Amino acid sequence: MSQDLFPVKPDIRERAHIKTMEEYQRLYRLSLDNPEWFWGEQAKMLTWFHPWQSVFDADYKEVDFSWFMGGRINASFNCIDRHLPHLGDKTAIIWAQDEPGVYTHITYRDLKHNVARVANVLLHNGVKKGDRVCIYLTMIPELVYTMLACARIGAVHSVVFGGFSAESLRDRIVDARCKVVVTANEGLRGGKKVPLKRTVDRAIEGMSLVECVLVARRTDSEVPMQPGRDLWLDEETAKQRSTCTNEWMGAEDPLFILYTSGSTGKPKGLLHTTGGYLTYAAFTHKLVFDYHPEDIYFCAADIGWVTGHSYIVYGPLANGATTVIFESTPLYPDPGRYWQIIDDLGVSIFYTAPTALRALAQAGDDWIKKYSRKSLRILGTVGEPINPEVWRWYHDVVGDARCTVVDTWWQTETGGILITPLPGVTPTKPGSATLPFFGVKPVIVDPATGIPIEGNDVSGALCLGAPWPGQARTVHGDHKRFRETYFTQYPGYYFTGDGARRDEDGYYWITGRIDDVINVSGHRLGTAEVESALVAHEAVAEAAVVGYPHPIKGQGIYCYVLLNSGFSEGNQDQLIGALKEQVRQAIGAFAAPDVIHIAAGLPKTRSGKIMRRILRKIASAEYDGMGDISTLAEPDVVNKLIEEHQKSQ
Ligand code: WT7
């Protein structure tokens, strides 16, 4: 592991909100010693209609946390209305469209009018406080309008990433019982059309639950509209007034549901509430990126994932920032796209994922050198461990050794960043997320004994030992699952699913998932989901899916498949293609397997448990050190798998 230390840059320290390690340590101690005081102070950065009665309440046995109880607040008011007196003409959103060089600037005043109109359309179509609205869109402004429109009237949004298949979308609509779906006729991404409405039609076919589909117009294409159910969003907003009252929501009223994959079963709808989530998103956005009012802020994630929720929409807008919404991909039309946007718009803070950086580094430095990037100051990364050499490339080439790199570790469940450098405070090490944010208490637990390991230079399962306002409160409709997934493995702690090392300086290094979740291009995927997609195919008797190191995606998807008799003869190329397609259809294109390994047998214990550890090693071409395989029912299987793997390389 790299031991290089990159000191804080003096000019960055100069303008930072927090300028010294001593100040960080003092505040960090206060935040853990007296969280109620600390978070009560931070929540004052938002505008409350009515003050809270207690900062924090918990029932640890029930796993029930509440922040700012009794407080009344509205997220849309905080992201829009309260800024209008002084920032009405400021650009809230710059929409960087799919075609290079095409930008739309949306002021805070425009944002208010657009959000209020969509809110009125929702109300007009029977959406009430507490109702769930599914949003299935690519990166267009209507996505933000609809999220904030929901927040304005107290509806709960459930954004489903526009790359999910009809089947996945259907599961999510049903699970959250959404009665309205907001989509577009088509999306545009990387010069290609995304058939959003067609996918919605398939997802809700024969379903009476969804009463209304609102369709934004992104392209000129016609799509079938079902009378009595489907409405064009632009026609409906044109009928509505541009004002709409903000509901006074309770601090603990739900703001949104967002689905994420776990090691078992169907994806879980994590539920985030209003006051604590927004406090945490706004406060972390301000300090981690050292946000100042003159910044142009560009997070290149998709709003379909939590990064986009917290750090494209809620955090930046609550802080009155100018936030870029990017419709395209880093490689369209060429690998210079990000740097072009940065120069065109004068971006000072840029936030992306290691997978994009790896692809761009591979394309060569000329693409970067073509652009000045002189406006940049802070470079963020999130989603997966960043290889130290990619970190250095980001720092040296993209940032000209002038910008600060912040490697931010967090999860859908955590609502906001938990382990991260602060630009004015933390000397960085390539590949380390460094130190905990305020109020965050990382605990490294020995996975064998469940006992916390004290001191430095230790590794184990990463847990969190103290609650924070941004954390998810429950799994929608299944609190038992919430409790069992996160709070039973290591009683008294929240278990993250990640492994981590605390080095000799107390810095954290996230080593990746230690459960059956893989991280593909920064997208979390449960291996069980891919397996159930595979076994749904008539040819498949059994499937076991693992991750393996992939040069661009971080982890690739490696599927071991046992075939039913009658399917194992002859050329298998067609079947392999069909199995990949099966997974695309069941989950989405981003989940398409990289490797289908048709195997003669799987390594199982005598009790029938698949030994994934062995499968992971073979998929990674690590044939030695299989460990103890004496408990296998048929030890020969291992050699056979290795042979098959070698043959395919
Ligand atoms: C998992 C959470 C949080 C937004 C994007 C992903 C991995 C996330 C880092 C990082 C190493 C990271 C972890 C985590 N992860 N950030 N900076 N270094 N690993 O959200 O889909 O909920 O996935 O992403 O494994 O558990 P998510």
Side-chain angles (χ1 to χ4, degrees):
M1 269 176 197
S2 157
Q3 288 310 311
D4 296 356
L5 202 63
F6 287 66
V8 172
K9 297 177 173 41
D11 53 326
I12 289 198
R13 165 168 287 154
E14 191 54 39
R15 63 182 311 213
H17 294 296
I18 302 182
K19 299 183 204 295
T20 63
M21 183 55 89
E22 294 67 42
E23 179 70 353
Y24 159 76
Q25 281 168 343
R26 188 182 69 84
L27 283 171
Y28 180 68
R29 261 194 306 273
L30 276 173
S31 72
L32 288 190
D33 291 347
N34 197 346
E36 304 210 8
W37 170 83
F38 184 85
W39 290 112
E41 284 303 299
Q42 310 320 325
K44 291 178 190 160
M45 74 191 283
L46 301 180
T47 305
W48 296 76
F49 298 134
H50 187 276
W52 53 85
Q53 280 139 25
S54 67
V55 172
F56 177 65
D57 283 299
D59 183 324
Y60 286 95
K61 197 165 152 277
E62 294 299 316
V63 185
D64 199 342
F65 307 115
S66 36
W67 291 86
F68 312 115
M69 271 305 241
R72 295 266 155 190
I73 188 166
N74 184 288
S76 166
F77 182 87
N78 273 278
C79 289
I80 310 172
D81 304 59
R82 67 170 181 149
H83 304 315
L84 294 180
H86 53 294
L87 299 178
D89 293 324
K90 181 174 177 175
T91 299
I93 293 172
I94 305 175
W95 179 36
Q97 299 189 26
D98 196 43
E99 274 318 296
V102 185
Y103 303 103
T104 309
H105 290 250
I106 298 150
T107 65
Y108 272 94
R109 189 168 297 105
D110 298 336
L111 181 62
K112 188 210 148 184
H113 294 157
N114 287 314
V115 168
R117 286 200 176 95
V118 176
N120 286 327
V121 171
L122 294 174
L123 288 171
H124 187 75
N125 284 283
V127 176
K128 290 186 286 296
K129 182 174 169 176
D131 286 348
R132 272 83 55 211
V133 172
C134 175
I135 308 177
Y136 183 68
L137 279 171
T138 45
M139 293 285 280
I140 62 175
E142 285 84 348
L143 168 52
V144 181
Y145 301 160
T146 310
M147 291 166 77
L148 293 172
C150 288
R152 203 168 182 91
I153 63 173
V156 182
H157 57 73
S158 166
V159 179
V160 177
F161 172 59
F164 274 112
S165 67
E167 208 175 300
S168 294
L169 176 60
R170 184 188 179 90
D171 288 346
R172 287 158 176 74
I173 291 170
V174 171
D175 184 80
R177 308 212 65 75
C178 298
K179 62 186 211 186
V180 171
V181 178
V182 181
T183 189
N185 55 343
E186 291 176 320
L188 273 185
R189 198 161 175 272
K192 294 198 195 79
K193 292 177 167 174
V194 186
L196 295 170
K197 173 67 164 59
R198 200 179 75 202
T199 306
V200 170
D201 286 341
R202 285 208 209 127
I204 65 174
E205 206 186 317
M207 197 195 276
S208 57
L209 172 65
V210 175
E211 295 162 13
C212 172
V213 178
L214 294 164
V215 186
R217 220 185 285 270
R218 176 60 187 99
T219 66
D220 293 332
S221 306
E222 283 304 318
V223 287
M225 297 289 279
Q226 184 175 309
R229 188 194 73 184
D230 302 349
L231 297 167
W232 288 103
L233 185 62
D234 56 356
E235 290 173 9
E236 297 309 303
T237 49
K239 298 174 191 163
Q240 295 297 336
R241 292 184 60 184
S242 60
T243 56
C244 174
T245 311
N246 287 286
E247 277 287 325
W248 286 32
M249 304 302 289
E252 281 296 333
D253 282 342
L255 179 61
F256 66 85
I257 296 168
L258 187 60
Y259 286 84
T260 193
S261 298
S263 42
T264 54
K266 285 195 182 255
K268 307 177 272 281
L270 272 310
L271 184 105
H272 284 280
T273 59
T274 309
Y277 169 80
L278 198 62
T279 301
Y280 200 77
F283 184 53
T284 48
H285 173 258
K286 181 174 165 183
L287 291 190
V288 172
F289 301 107
D290 196 43
Y291 168 75
H292 292 266
E294 61 280 10
D295 280 315
I296 303 288
Y297 171 85
F298 175 19
C299 167
D302 192 289
I303 295 173
W305 311 106
V306 75
T307 307
H309 280 61
S310 300
Y311 299 113
I312 298 178
V313 181
Y314 286 112
L317 294 177
N319 287 330
T322 297
T323 182
V324 177
I325 296 184
F326 181 42
E327 192 181 29
S328 196
T329 81
L331 301 173
Y332 181 78
D334 59 51
R337 189 66 194 275
Y338 280 162
W339 329 120
Q340 181 190 348
I341 293 176
I342 286 165
D343 277 6
D344 283 355
L345 304 178
V347 170
S348 48
I349 305 170
F350 177 59
Y351 193 26
T352 190
T355 184
L357 296 174
R358 286 191 295 264
L360 294 171
Q362 202 181 56
D365 296 357
D366 289 351
W367 288 109
I368 291 120
K369 303 260 164 65
K370 239 180 105 179
Y371 300 94
S372 89
R373 293 156 283 112
K374 65 177 192 301
S375 53
L376 284 174
R377 203 174 83 250
I378 308 286
L379 300 171
T381 153
V382 62
E384 38 170 333
I386 184 165
N387 332 46
E389 61 281 10
V390 176
W391 191 104
R392 276 195 205 90
W393 177 84
Y394 200 23
H395 178 270
D396 295 346
V397 180
V398 176
D400 281 325
R402 187 175 50 70
C403 302
T404 293
V405 172
V406 287
D407 175 1
T408 63
W409 174 84
W410 59 295
Q411 311 180 294
T412 305
E413 292 86 344
T414 70
I417 294 164
L418 296 193
I419 303 183
T420 178
L422 296 181
V425 168
T426 322
T428 46
K429 299 183 189 185
S432 169
T434 75
L435 299 173
F437 190 74
F438 301 116
V440 175
K441 189 178 169 190
V443 178
I444 303 264
V445 177
D446 181 341
T449 62
I451 296 170
I453 313 173
E454 307 284 337
N456 288 343
D457 206 1
V458 297
S459 52
L462 179 62
C463 292
L464 298 161
W468 66 100
Q471 83 182 114
R473 303 294 193 260
T474 192
V475 168
H476 174 74
D478 199 349
H479 193 65
K480 182 163 171 269
R481 189 167 177 205
F482 181 68
R483 231 187 304 138
E484 287 172 359
T485 307
Y486 304 105
F487 296 91
T488 53
Q489 191 128 351
Y490 303 111
Y493 301 107
Y494 165 88
F495 175 46
T496 65
D498 282 325
R501 184 171 100 90
R502 184 166 52 225
D503 74 11
E504 54 288 353
D505 300 319
Y507 275 41
Y508 289 89
W509 301 73
I510 312 299
T511 49
R513 303 289 305 197
I514 51 176
D515 53 7
D516 289 322
V517 170
I518 54 181
N519 193 322
V520 183
S521 304
H523 300 322
R524 199 160 129 183
L525 203 57
T527 53
E529 282 172 78
V530 182
E531 287 161 8
S532 46
L534 288 168
V535 296
H537 192 280
E538 55 170 358
V540 178
E542 197 170 359
V545 174
V546 297
Y548 72 103
H550 185 284
I552 303 291
K553 296 176 170 187
Q555 284 190 295
I557 307 171
Y558 195 107
C559 311
Y560 295 88
V561 174
L562 297 192
L563 298 181
N564 282 316
S565 56
F567 289 92
S568 42
E569 299 308 309
N571 187 332
Q572 301 290 11
D573 291 352
Q574 213 180 337
L575 178 60
I576 287 172
L579 293 179
K580 290 185 180 176
E581 185 55 28
Q582 172 90 13
V583 180
R584 295 171 83 95
Q585 291 294 331
I587 304 173
F590 66 93
D594 295 280
V595 181
I596 303 272
H597 175 156
I598 294 177
L602 294 174
K604 290 186 181 169
T605 60
R606 280 182 211 110
S607 58
K609 197 170 171 308
I610 295 177
M611 294 189 79
R612 288 166 180 281
R613 178 175 56 81
I614 291 173
L615 294 179
R616 276 193 284 266
K617 290 206 114 179
I618 297 172
S620 313
E622 291 171 29
Y623 306 132
D624 302 328
M626 289 291 170
D628 182 13
I629 54 170
S630 63
T631 56
L632 285 182
E634 297 168 76
D636 280 355
V637 169
V638 176
N639 287 331
K640 187 89 177 68
L641 284 171
I642 292 176
E643 240 170 69
E644 289 162 353
H645 184 265
Q646 278 170 329
K647 237 187 279 165
S648 71
Q649 292 297 292

